[in-house]
Amino acid sequence: GAVVSQHPSWVICKSGTSVKIECRSLDFQATTMFWYRQFPKQSLMLMATSNEGSKATYEQGVEKDKFLINHASLTLSTLTVTSAHPEDSSFYICSASRPGQGASNYGYTFGSGTRLTVV
Amino acid sequence: GQQVMQIPQYQHVQEGEDFTTYCNSSTTLSNIQWYKQRPGGHPVFLIQLVKSGEVKKQKRLTFQFGEAKKNSSLHITATQTTDVGTYFCVGNDMRFGAGTRLTVKP
């Protein structure tokens, strides 16, 4: 089945530093990946849609200069939280599906998420 | 973009009782997906509904898609403690509903 690996699973960083989160599709090529953030006991909020070889599409209210997304290959998308502040502390999670399949019978596969704590 | 509303926000049931969560969209959906997220985990795909009036079953879970393709429901018969988690509906633009957190008392 489709496997999405996300790294790191948790990270603590100092305020003002940048953090990079990786999302890899291990056994399939993903032309599109999605990035979400989730606060405790809340739903997943879509941040951006990452398309291989092109600029990401950001949701309204999401700062593209703060949350840099790079989808340079069909198996890797990265989210960089730049100049992180405590309010950026959250659970970040990516998802992907096999190209040409969409959700179909297998849905989108989610990474295990990255818990970011900014101190 | 479209917004999918989901209710209830929380549901606490006794083991063996049934459970239902509902999703409604202001616009017609091309499809709707359902996911389950266990506490501390990530969302796991349950099913996708595409056809108007579609009904799909997975053991004790029954999923329905409304005739107008604007609403959907997930019904669990005779809940078990393993059903604990948050159930999300997701519209075709990959935006999540608010989720229904299910707790089951043994």
Side-chain angles (χ1 to χ4, degrees), chain B residues 57-101:
Chain B
K57 292 189 175 184
Q58 291 179 351
K59 297 183 180 179
R60 295 178 295 103
L61 277 61
T62 301
F63 304 85
Q64 293 188 341
F65 202 10
E67 293 290 341
K69 300 183 71 174
K70 289 185 175 182
N71 59 77
S72 182
S73 65
L74 158 58
H75 179 82
I76 302 179
T77 304
T79 56
Q80 300 175 358
T81 54
T82 53
D83 295 325
V84 166
T86 301
Y87 293 85
F88 294 100
C89 58
V90 182
N92 46 270
D93 62 355
M94 290 306 291
R95 292 189 179 89
F96 276 61
T100 298
R101 184 183 301 270

Side-chain angles (χ1 to χ4, degrees), chain A residues 96-107:
Chain A
S97 72
R98 296 177 184 274
Q101 191 170 59
S104 71
N105 295 317
Y106 304 99

Side-chain angles (χ1 to χ4, degrees), chain A residues 36 38 41 43 59 103 108, chain B residues 35 37 48 94-95 97 101:
Chain A
Y36 297 84
Q38 184 178 33
K41 297 186 178 182
S43 184
E59 293 296 298
Y108 286 82
Chain B
Y35 290 79
Q37 183 179 27
Q48 176 179 256
M94 290 306 291
R95 292 189 179 89
R101 184 183 301 270

Side-chain angles (χ1 to χ4, degrees), chain B residues 3 6 23 25-26 30 46 51-52 56 60 84 87-88 91:
Chain B
Q3 187 172 5
Q6 187 173 359
C23 281
S25 170
S26 57
S30 59
L46 295 177
K51 299 177 182 177
S52 170
K56 287 188 176 180
R60 295 178 295 103
V84 166
Y87 293 85
F88 294 100

Side-chain angles (χ1 to χ4, degrees), chain A residues 14-29:
Chain A
K14 291 185 177 181
S15 185
T17 61
S18 295
V19 174
K20 179 184 284 188
I21 301 169
E22 294 187 347
C23 182
R24 294 180 184 274
S25 55
L26 298 186
D27 54 353
F28 67 101
Q29 294 180 329

Side-chain angles (χ1 to χ4, degrees), chain A residues 30-33 49-57 69-78:
Chain A
T31 53
T32 301
M33 291 186 176
T49 301
S50 169
N51 299 294
E52 186 269 335
S54 64
K55 292 183 178 180
T57 303
I69 291 173
N70 186 291
H71 194 156
S73 77
L74 285 171
T75 59
L76 174 65
S77 177
T78 61

